[in-house]
Amino acid sequence: MQTGGIRLIVCATLATLVTGLATPAHAERGTRQLVRPAAQQLVQPAARQLVRPAAHRAVPAVPARAAYLFDSGTGTVHLSKQATRRMPVASLTKVMTAYVVLREAGLNDIVTVNAGDVRHAATNDATAAALRAGERLTVRELLYGAMLPSGADATHALARVYGPGESRFVAKMNAAARSLGLAGTRYGNSDGLPKPSPGYSTAQDQARLADIALRDPVLRTIASTRRYVVRKSKVHRAHVWTNTNKLLGEAPGALGVKTGYTRAAGYCLSFAADRDGHRLIGVILGDTRADRRFQTAGRLLDWAGDQVASETDITEDL
């Protein structure tokens, strides 16, 4: 899709302008301190976003209802499809749950699982971390249980303790969404299940939330972990949790972030990868096929990564 030297120079100039406007790279501050950027620090204004076609290949097909892909460092929007449409996001909700928990809790705090936590997952036919009533686990372990196998039992236990109670916890989630400038987002519960209300968000908001989550070293480590083992102890049994994100270990530089599914939301995916010094972050909402969301995400990352590499080469040549 190149049209000659003039277009290359224009693209290079635009790339330089966008980079100059972008928010500086985040400096990590330790394993416990969570980044909470002000709403204006996120890449929101239309003037700061530049949508460019890929340099070498056609835009991959996106069968899902909504999608969004952007460069975290420059703010460049590579793809936007119904990106501000409000819709349920299923277990992508748990990214905000983890974010709020880390603001409220210590990683080594101990939480005792109760029968209500286990029953919540079972009665809602939800994915679970196979927890049992009476087990005592750290907050760190429960976050892995919530994020990797998408355990509604682990999420319920965390919300119950750090709300305290589900309703107060959800209020904290919505307060965090407002403070982060996620104007198209309202959470109805801590796990994205249909009952009592799934709430809603947008592909654009969820991509921005993924960006914020990945700037925290704890959340980034959890989201990018393929398999986590909790060894048996006197206060809990052994657990082995596998990440439901099939991009990990398959797509170069993949960092997670979260999968989700309900009948109303369809198959959802929040994903990210580091390519050529750029962090590409995207969201797919409302696909009708479970594996296709991973295939689409992989193609989008390759496509955007090709564009990033091409722009880098052009800049160097000039």
Side-chain angles (χ1 to χ4, degrees):
M1 296 172 64
Q2 298 175 348
T3 59
I6 293 175
R7 187 175 183 88
L8 293 181
I9 293 170
V10 171
C11 288
T13 303
L14 289 175
T16 303
L17 290 173
V18 174
T19 304
L21 291 171
T23 302
H26 165 61
E28 294 173 4
R29 307 176 190 175
T31 58
R32 284 287 324 285
Q33 191 163 357
L34 195 66
V35 177
R36 299 193 293 275
Q40 62 269 25
Q41 290 177 305
L42 298 176
V43 183
Q44 293 187 50
R48 283 186 154 192
Q49 297 180 348
L50 180 63
V51 181
R52 298 195 190 104
H56 295 302
R57 62 179 79 182
V59 182
V62 181
R65 293 199 296 270
Y68 190 75
L69 177 68
F70 81 112
D71 186 318
S72 171
T74 67
T76 301
V77 178
H78 290 281
L79 181 135
S80 181
K81 175 184 178 180
Q82 296 289 310
T84 59
R85 177 181 176 182
R86 294 179 176 182
M87 52 199 301
V89 297
S91 286
L92 270 57
T93 297
K94 295 184 175 95
V95 178
M96 179 60 85
T97 297
Y99 176 85
V100 171
V101 166
L102 283 174
R103 297 172 75 190
E104 301 286 329
L107 288 171
N108 295 319
D109 289 355
I110 302 296
V111 173
T112 301
V113 179
N114 68 21
D117 303 325
V118 177
R119 185 168 55 250
H120 173 76
T123 57
N124 286 286
D125 194 27
T127 50
L131 302 179
R132 290 183 181 175
E135 286 192 278
R136 299 175 63 199
L137 295 136
T138 65
V139 165
R140 185 194 302 271
E141 290 165 340
L142 287 174
L143 285 172
Y144 275 99
M147 292 288 286
L148 271 62
S150 204
D153 45 2
T155 306
H156 193 271
L158 289 167
R160 173 177 55 81
V161 172
Y162 293 103
E166 177 77 5
S167 61
R168 290 184 180 180
F169 189 85
V170 173
K172 292 178 180 179
M173 294 171 69
N174 285 320
R178 289 191 297 272
S179 73
L180 296 174
L182 307 181
T185 298
R186 185 181 184 283
Y187 294 102
N189 54 47
S190 61
D191 47 34
L193 290 170
K195 296 179 182 180
S197 168
Y200 55 79
S201 188
T202 69
Q204 185 180 67
D205 276 5
Q206 288 301 300
R208 289 172 174 169
L209 177 60
D211 184 21
I212 294 163
L214 290 172
R215 291 171 187 264
D216 175 72
V218 174
L219 280 178
R220 185 173 66 250
T221 297
I222 293 172
S224 61
T225 298
R226 298 176 65 184
R227 185 173 179 267
Y228 188 77
V229 176
V230 179
R231 301 191 181 278
K232 182 179 180 180
S233 75
K234 294 180 180 179
V235 295
H236 59 71
R237 63 197 190 109
H239 294 279
V240 179
W241 295 317
T242 302
N243 203 316
T244 55
N245 189 345
K246 295 183 180 181
L247 287 181
L248 294 173
E250 297 294 332
L255 299 171
V257 178
K258 189 72 188 73
T259 63
Y261 171 77
T262 63
R263 184 175 297 178
Y267 293 98
C268 303
L269 178 65
S270 175
F271 61 96
D274 287 338
R275 301 282 178 92
D276 292 308
H278 292 252
R279 178 160 294 172
L280 302 171
I281 300 177
V283 167
I284 292 170
L285 301 179
D287 206 331
T288 56
R289 299 181 187 176
D291 285 341
R292 188 168 60 186
R293 57 186 159 165
F294 302 113
Q295 296 163 1
T296 300
R299 293 188 188 110
L300 287 173
L301 289 171
D302 290 343
W303 169 73
D306 182 65
Q307 178 174 303
V308 165
S310 176
E311 289 168 356
T312 301
D313 291 343
I314 292 169
T315 302
E316 290 174 351
D317 289 342
L318 293 174

